[in-house]
Amino acid sequence: MSCAACVAHVEHAAKKAITNTLRDAASVSVSVSLLTSSMSVDIENEAVLTDPAALDKALIAEIERVGYGAAVAIEGGQLKSTADQAKEEKQTLKKSWISFIISAALTLVLMVFSMGHMVGINLIRDPILLAAVQLVLTLPVLIINRHYFVGGARALIHRSPNMDSLIAIGSLAAVVYGVFAMFMIGYGLGHGDMEVVEKYRNDLYFESAG
């Protein structure tokens, strides 16, 4: 989960699974935490829970159906190994930091090429080469952070858009328009129309995507 919309979608899916599985769903409450990426199901009347395994299976299936993932954290009244969970979280955090540092470095260089002319830095004067360099710097950032596109697309497919969907649509729109601008620059250069070249060389927006 990445935003409040994700929490709402997961909670709705869980409640639907509970309603379809238990006789008296009114005695069950669901709490979803974005901070800990966890969900707890509190059953007030244990008599309604005739088959705990069936409820776990239904919850996981419904949550996966709307585009998220789930696994049982408590077995036999005991939490699964907290050491394993902590190790996994540490590895995830480390990967996130590495992705951030590489993305930030590439984006910083990208900003120099895309907006350097505003402070008198003109490293490349050929407009089509300048656009190509910006695209080459942008693509690794998008690939490294592809989870936004994967998660955003999955959420859209399941008609439950979230913050990832917003980021994916915005970044993709910027890249697509940037590629279109590159073709227009090439067209302008090929036909000697410098007005078109000048117009689109300032409309690349690759740095916005990054």
Side-chain angles (χ1 to χ4, degrees), residues 174 177-179 181-182 185 198-206:
Y177 186 82
V179 172
M182 284 183 64
I185 291 171
E198 194 61 29
K199 169 180 168 53
Y200 285 100
R201 73 179 296 168
N202 296 317
D203 284 346
L204 293 171
Y205 300 115
F206 288 127

Side-chain angles (χ1 to χ4, degrees), residues 100-176:
F100 169 73
I101 291 170
I102 296 173
S103 299
L106 288 170
T107 303
L108 183 61
V109 177
L110 174 60
M111 293 294 286
V112 172
F113 280 102
S114 64
M115 311 193 88
H117 64 278
M118 295 182 178
V119 292
I121 301 175
N122 292 296
L123 299 177
I124 301 176
R125 297 190 179 276
D126 185 328
I128 196 69
L129 178 59
L130 179 62
V133 168
Q134 291 184 44
L135 177 60
V136 168
L137 287 168
T138 302
L139 289 178
V141 178
L142 302 185
I143 293 170
I144 290 170
N145 298 282
R146 60 189 176 278
H147 61 88
Y148 287 114
F149 296 93
V150 175
R154 185 185 296 121
L156 284 173
I157 290 171
H158 290 95
R159 293 178 294 177
S160 55
N162 56 18
M163 190 61 71
D164 287 353
S165 305
L166 182 63
I167 293 171
I169 291 171
S171 295
L172 187 61
V175 171
V176 170

Side-chain angles (χ1 to χ4, degrees), residues 21-23 27-28 43 45-56:
T21 307
L22 300 183
R23 300 191 309 273
S27 65
V28 181
I43 301 174
N45 180 12
E46 292 187 3
V48 302
L49 189 61
T50 56
D51 189 351
L55 178 59
D56 290 340

Side-chain angles (χ1 to χ4, degrees), residues 2 5 9 47 66 71 77 83 92 94 100 117 131 133 135 139 142 153 167 174 186 191 196-197:
S2 60
H9 294 316
V66 297
T92 301
K94 183 179 178 180
F100 169 73
H117 64 278
V133 168
L135 177 60
L139 289 178
L142 302 185
I167 293 171
H191 291 78
V196 171
V197 173

Side-chain angles (χ1 to χ4, degrees), residues 58-82:
L59 284 167
I60 292 171
E62 187 61 28
I63 290 170
E64 289 180 344
R65 191 189 69 78
V66 297
Y68 299 89
V72 178
I74 296 178
E75 291 181 341
Q78 296 293 323
L79 279 171
K80 284 186 175 179
S81 174
T82 53

